[in-house]
Amino acid sequence: MTDSTRATAILARSLADIAEGGLAHRMRLEQAARVIVAARRASHLAAAGALALPATDPAVQAVTEIARHWDDTAVTALEYAEGLPVAALERLLRAAPSWAAAFAPGSWRQAA
């Protein structure tokens, strides 16, 4: 697929989403994908000892649990978000702001 063909396909999908009223849903899926990627990065940083994950917050548990099941070798984060049940997608998006806020400035550690 050439760059021009790919750009045309992306534009066609975007225009169809807008025309059919699906843009808001698409944006929610993209937002969920970003949260999933961020949660995975936070998990990797915590495993490396560079970040302390706040574990007691229900929002942290919700986001972590949903993101934990993403197999990044099989599907993209967007594809994973698209496959989530509506209830899980809603739970993820509701919990995301509290999840992000739970990372207090002091939770970041300097690498040795």
Side-chain angles (χ1 to χ4, degrees):
M1 182 180 280
T2 67
D3 287 342
S4 177
T5 304
R6 187 180 351 262
T8 301
I10 291 169
L11 176 60
R13 187 177 72 197
S14 294
L15 292 174
D17 281 345
I18 293 167
E20 297 166 5
L23 183 60
H25 179 65
R26 187 88 185 144
M27 291 172 69
R28 290 172 57 74
L29 289 172
E30 290 172 0
Q31 181 182 16
R34 286 178 183 223
V35 172
I36 291 163
V37 169
R40 179 61 58 90
R41 287 180 181 154
S43 174
H44 288 307
L45 286 171
L51 175 68
L53 288 177
T56 59
D57 188 302
V60 171
Q61 293 171 344
V63 170
T64 302
E65 179 64 21
I66 292 167
R68 182 174 68 87
H69 294 287
W70 170 42
D71 179 358
D72 62 348
T73 64
V75 295
T76 67
L78 182 60
E79 291 167 335
Y80 176 67
E82 289 172 335
L84 287 173
V86 173
L89 180 66
E90 293 299 322
R91 182 175 180 222
L92 176 72
L93 293 174
R94 269 194 321 272
S98 295
W99 168 80
F103 290 93
S107 67
W108 295 91
R109 299 183 184 135
Q110 294 293 326

